[in-house]
């Protein structure tokens, strides 16, 4: 599953929804944890965001179309025994978005049973990790030249 089309075909029988700009695709305060659904972002841009200790909202990552979103808390139990607290982040539409809404148990079954799907998800986790590291560096660390 190298292409989003393959992923969408795999989950084509699920609900297709339009999420308006600024609406939440997933909000743990409203939807609860663990999430009941994972979303395949067919079109649009959304953000992963959470509240800081000071109560301010902060965007950690922008996610563009052609990918799955909201799956980390669903995968959490099979890959880690860490506390879930830091996953209490919302996903907000930054443009109008078209998503496939996939029940979490179906997403998890596909992850466990389909090696190509699992590889697809792992690639996206790694890409997001690299983006988060770059964002952290850009926002907090400054450049090495400045420090020297």
């Amino acid at each position: 599953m190298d292409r989003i089309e393959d992923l969408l075909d795999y989950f084509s029988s699920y609900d297709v929804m339009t999420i308006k700009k600024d609406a939440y695709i997933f909000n743990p305060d409203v939807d609860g944890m663990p999430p009941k659904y994972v979303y395949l972002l067919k079109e649009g841009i959304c953000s992963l965001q959470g509240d800081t200790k000071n109560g301010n909202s902060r965007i950690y990552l922008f996610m563009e179309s052609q990918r799955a979103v909201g799956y980390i808390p669903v995968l959490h139990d099979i890959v880690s025994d860490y506390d879930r607290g830091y996953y209490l982040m919302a996903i907000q539409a930054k443009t109008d978005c078209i998503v496939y809404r996939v029940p979490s148990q179906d997403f998890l079954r596909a992850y466990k049973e389909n090696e190509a799907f699992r590889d697809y998800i792992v690639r996206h986790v790694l890409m997001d990790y690299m983006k988060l590291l770059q964002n952290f560096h850009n926002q907090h660390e400054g450049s090495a030249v400045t420090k020297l």
Side-chain angles (χ1 to χ4, degrees):
M1 274 187 208
D2 292 329
R3 304 172 322 127
I4 189 68
E5 290 82 11
D6 297 333
L7 188 61
L8 295 176
D9 286 346
Y10 192 82
F11 291 109
S12 63
S13 64
Y14 295 98
D15 295 338
V16 177
M17 303 169 58
T18 299
I19 309 293
K20 295 294 185 187
K21 179 182 177 182
D22 296 327
Y24 285 94
I25 296 171
F26 172 74
N27 183 340
D29 294 333
V30 174
D31 301 319
M33 288 295 281
K36 294 179 183 110
Y37 300 98
V38 171
Y39 300 88
L40 305 179
L41 182 61
K42 182 177 180 183
E43 294 179 21
I45 298 172
C46 61
S47 65
L48 178 69
Q49 59 192 51
D51 293 332
T52 65
K53 290 180 181 179
N54 297 334
N56 298 321
S57 183
R58 180 178 200 165
I59 294 174
Y60 293 95
L61 183 68
F62 285 102
M63 298 173 282
E64 297 180 9
S65 61
Q66 308 295 300
R67 58 161 301 148
V69 299
Y71 55 85
I72 294 295
V74 173
L75 295 178
H76 181 273
D77 290 338
I78 66 169
V79 298
S80 174
D81 60 357
Y82 291 123
D83 178 35
R84 267 189 188 208
Y86 61 91
Y87 289 129
L88 296 179
M89 295 188 188
I91 300 172
Q92 185 179 32
K94 295 302 183 183
T95 65
D96 288 351
C97 294
I98 297 175
V99 299
Y100 285 75
R101 185 176 72 170
V102 178
S104 294
Q105 67 272 14
D106 293 351
F107 182 90
L108 194 55
R109 185 179 319 105
Y111 180 84
K112 289 178 178 178
E113 296 174 359
N114 187 311
E115 184 178 356
F117 179 66
R118 190 170 42 254
D119 289 347
Y120 173 89
I121 294 301
V122 168
R123 277 194 310 276
H124 280 270
V125 168
L126 292 172
M127 287 187 297
D128 288 347
Y129 176 76
M130 296 306 295
K131 287 180 191 175
L132 285 166
L133 283 178
Q134 186 64 47
N135 289 345
F136 179 79
H137 175 75
N138 290 343
Q139 292 177 6
H140 300 289
E141 296 295 323
S143 71
V145 173
T146 304
K147 291 182 177 184
L148 297 176

